Amino acid sequence: MKHKVSTTVNGTRREHEVESRLLLVHYLRDVVGLTGTHIGCDTSQCGACTILVDGKAVMSCTMFAVQAEGKQLTTIEGMAKDGELHPLQQAFWDEHGLQCGYCTPGFIMAAAYLLSQNPNPTEDEIRRGLEGNLCRCTGYVNIIKSVQSAAKTMGGAKAKPAGRPAVTAGGE
Amino acid sequence: MIPAAFEYARASSVEEASKLLKTYGEDAKVLAGGHSLIPLMRLRLAQPKALVDINGIKDLDYIKEDGSKLRFGALTRHVTIEHSAVVKQKLPILAEVASEIGDNQVRNMGTIGGVVAHADAAGDYPTIALMLDAEIVTNRRTIAAKDFFKDIFTTPLAADEIVIEVVFPVANGPHKYIKFRRRLFDWAIVGAAAQKMNGGWRIGLTNVGPTPVRAKAVEEALHTGAKPEEAAQHASDGLNPSGDLRASPEYKKHLARVLTKRAIEQAE
C-alpha cells in the first residue's frame, strides 16, 4: 500500500506516493532526484546521509519517507543561495575540509546544525558535535578548521545586517 | 539495504495506537525514534508486518516535576533530556546519560520510551531505571523497573500495550555514569553507574548480561564501610556475560569491576 507524503524540500513543496518501507534518503535521491545526500555505511553509523529535518540534524537513512510528512527538509542542495556558496561550503573549500568529498554533505549538514545550536563552538565542542560523522580519508583536522572558519564568517555576517543569515530551521 | 514491506499507520492518540496494534496483532511494532528498530529492519533482523507510528501523539513529549518524582513522557527525545534544566537539577545522572547516547543525529530522534520498551541489554536508561527503582507506566498499568526488564529485548508488555511514561525518583546527590566504548557514538561495551541516594549508594551495570544489573553486593559492601576499590571487586559477583566481537566474558567482568570503582570514586 502506498502513502501520500507531502514535504518541503529546500523550500519547494513536494508531494509523492511512496511505499512505507522507502527510506528518506532513497526518497530524496531516487524520487526527488537530489543526489547530494550520500549513503555511506547504510547502518546508521557514518552520518554521510545527514540532513536537517525541521532544523535538526537527522540521518536520512534511519527514517522512513512517510515519517517526513509535513516536515521541512534541508539537504546540501539547499545550502547555496543565488549562486553563492553557504559559508560552510566556502570554508570547506578554503580550508581543504574535504579530500574525496564523499562524507562532505553529511559533515556540512551536521555542522550547520551544530552552529545553529552553538554559533561559537570551541574545538572540543566541534569535535563532539561532529562525532556522528565519519571521514574515511581521516581529514578531521581540516574539517574542524573549516567549521571554525565558517563560524567566524557566519558570526561576522550576523554583525552586519546586510550579510547572509546563518542557516535556520528548514534552511529557508 | 531495504527493509521488508510493512503496513504503516499513524496514531494520533494512545488509544488509537493501542487499537491499531490490536488490529495488526503480534507482528506489529511501535515506531518512536526508530533508531534501534529501523537499523534492525534494514538488516531484516526485524520484519514487523506493521508499524504504528506514535510520533504524532502530541502529549507524550514532556518532562514534569511531580513532588519527589520526575515524569518523562515516552516520546521525550534524548536531546531534550540532555539539555533540560529540571533534569540537570533534579536527576543530573539522567541528563549526563542522555548526552552520551549515540551522537547528535541519534539524540535528535531517539526517545526514552523507545529505549525502555526495546530493552536492549546495552541500553543506558534501563540501567539507571533499574538501580533507581523507576516505574514504567503503560496504557494499562504501572510496572516497576525490576519487573520490566525480563530478558534481552524482552519485557512484560502485551502486544497492544504502549509505554507512555517513565517515572524516576529525584536523585541529585553525587553520581557518575561511565560508558566504556571504542568510539564516542558506540553502545557501551560495559557501563557502570553510581548514585548516592538516601544516604546509600545505588550501583548499576550495563551490558553485562541479558538485562541491566543492579550490583547489590557492591552497594552492601559500601554500606558496611568498604572502600570503593574493595567494594567494586564485588561488581562481577554472579555475572555471566556473553562474549561478543568487542569483549570476552572475562574482560566484561574486569570492566565491571574497574568501571564501578571509577564511577564511585568520580561521583560528584
Side-chain angles (χ1 to χ4, degrees):
Chain A
M1 184 182 148
K2 293 215 167 186
H3 298 263
K4 202 181 82 177
V5 56
S6 318
T7 62
T8 303
V9 184
N10 302 327
T12 305
R13 287 268 300 167
R14 303 280 185 172
E15 216 174 282
H16 292 98
E17 296 254 312
V18 300
E19 248 192 292
S20 51
R21 63 172 163 173
L22 184 70
L23 294 166
L24 184 56
V25 68
H26 291 136
Y27 171 74
L28 289 168
R29 290 176 56 85
D30 303 339
V31 180
V32 181
L34 296 173
T35 54
T37 303
H38 292 170
I39 301 168
C41 67
D42 218 359
T43 52
S44 310
Q45 302 189 58
C46 77
C49 65
T50 300
I51 63 164
L52 302 183
V53 177
D54 287 344
K56 287 191 168 177
V58 166
M59 287 181 279
S60 59
C61 78
T62 314
M63 188 170 165
F64 293 111
V66 285
Q67 290 179 269
E69 171 65 25
K71 308 273 190 208
Q72 301 268 344
L73 311 180
T74 309
T75 70
I76 189 69
E77 289 92 341
M79 297 299 275
K81 291 286 176 312
D82 307 322
E84 192 192 334
L85 292 180
H86 185 276
L88 270 164
Q89 293 172 305
Q90 189 63 50
F92 270 68
W93 184 340
D94 294 340
E95 302 290 339
H96 304 283
L98 58 147
Q99 291 178 44
C100 83
Y102 198 88
C103 68
T104 310
F107 263 102
I108 288 181
M109 301 317 288
Y113 172 72
L114 168 67
L115 294 180
S116 74
Q117 303 297 302
N118 180 0
N120 288 301
T122 63
E123 183 183 331
D124 274 358
E125 286 166 346
I126 295 172
R127 286 178 181 275
R128 200 181 135 72
L130 299 180
E131 69 192 339
N133 293 71
L134 296 179
C135 167
R136 291 296 72 175
C137 306
T138 68
Y140 295 106
V141 170
N142 284 355
I143 289 171
I144 290 157
K145 274 191 203 161
S146 305
V147 178
Q148 286 171 321
S149 161
K152 223 182 233 175
T153 316
M154 290 162 71
K158 246 191 295 178
K160 283 179 269 163
R164 62 176 304 141
V167 67
T168 52
E172 199 43 76
Chain B
M1 289 167 287
I2 296 165
F6 57 88
E7 296 279 318
Y8 171 85
R10 281 183 205 107
S12 52
S13 68
V14 171
E15 295 70 37
E16 192 187 356
S18 177
K19 209 177 279 176
L20 283 163
L21 286 170
K22 197 163 201 168
T23 311
Y24 288 126
E26 286 285 340
D27 287 335
K29 293 289 276 181
V30 173
L31 177 61
H35 274 50
S36 291
L37 181 58
I38 296 174
L40 288 173
M41 287 175 68
R42 256 184 343 216
L43 294 169
R44 303 212 178 186
L45 294 171
Q47 296 195 25
K49 287 221 173 68
L51 290 189
V52 175
D53 186 348
I54 62 168
N55 285 281
I57 304 179
K58 286 280 179 287
D59 49 4
L60 281 187
D61 180 359
Y62 59 81
I63 300 169
K64 284 182 197 156
E65 270 190 86
D66 180 10
S68 60
K69 293 176 176 177
L70 276 187
R71 313 184 82 92
F72 295 83
L75 281 180
T76 310
R77 315 269 165 191
H78 309 322
V79 66
T80 309
I81 296 172
E82 173 185 3
H83 295 295
S84 158
V86 61
V87 180
K88 283 183 187 172
Q89 193 197 342
K90 304 275 182 175
L91 188 59
I93 194 167
L94 205 71
E96 289 164 26
V97 164
S99 76
E100 295 289 333
I101 297 173
D103 45 51
N104 276 336
Q105 289 93 320
V106 171
R107 292 192 291 273
N108 280 338
M109 290 296 286
T111 67
I112 189 167
V115 171
V116 166
H118 187 57
D120 191 324
D124 304 302
Y125 294 139
T127 301
I128 311 300
L130 178 72
M131 80 177 203
L132 297 185
D133 290 317
E135 291 173 331
I136 291 95
V137 181
T138 75
N139 51 330
R140 292 210 190 136
R141 53 186 165 156
T142 298
I143 307 168
K146 68 177 169 50
D147 301 322
F148 190 82
F149 303 104
K150 292 283 194 199
D151 202 343
I152 189 157
F153 302 125
T154 307
T155 70
L157 291 174
D160 60 346
E161 194 172 8
I162 302 164
V163 172
I164 56 174
E165 195 177 50
V166 186
V167 186
F168 284 85
V170 164
N172 51 10
H175 61 274
K176 183 74 184 176
Y177 183 57
I178 301 179
K179 188 163 158 178
F180 192 83
R181 54 200 161 157
R182 299 285 294 273
R183 300 172 301 183
L184 266 177
F185 57 83
D186 276 340
W187 297 85
I189 294 173
V190 171
Q195 173 78 55
K196 197 98 186 258
M197 194 179 165
N198 305 331
W201 284 96
R202 303 288 182 97
I203 307 294
L205 295 167
T206 302
N207 209 22
V208 290
T211 64
V213 168
R214 182 162 167 195
K216 286 201 169 156
V218 180
E219 295 178 6
E220 189 55 34
L222 288 166
H223 189 68
T224 53
K227 291 191 177 121
E229 66 261 37
E230 295 160 4
Q233 290 309 307
H234 295 288
S236 56
D237 289 4
L239 293 186
N240 188 18
S242 53
D244 53 39
L245 280 174
R246 299 179 299 171
S248 65
E250 292 70 32
Y251 184 48
K252 284 191 181 178
K253 289 204 260 186
H254 169 76
L255 282 174
R257 292 188 294 268
V258 172
L259 299 178
T260 298
K261 168 177 171 281
R262 289 182 192 165
I264 300 163
E265 286 176 348
Q266 293 172 23
E268 56 182 351

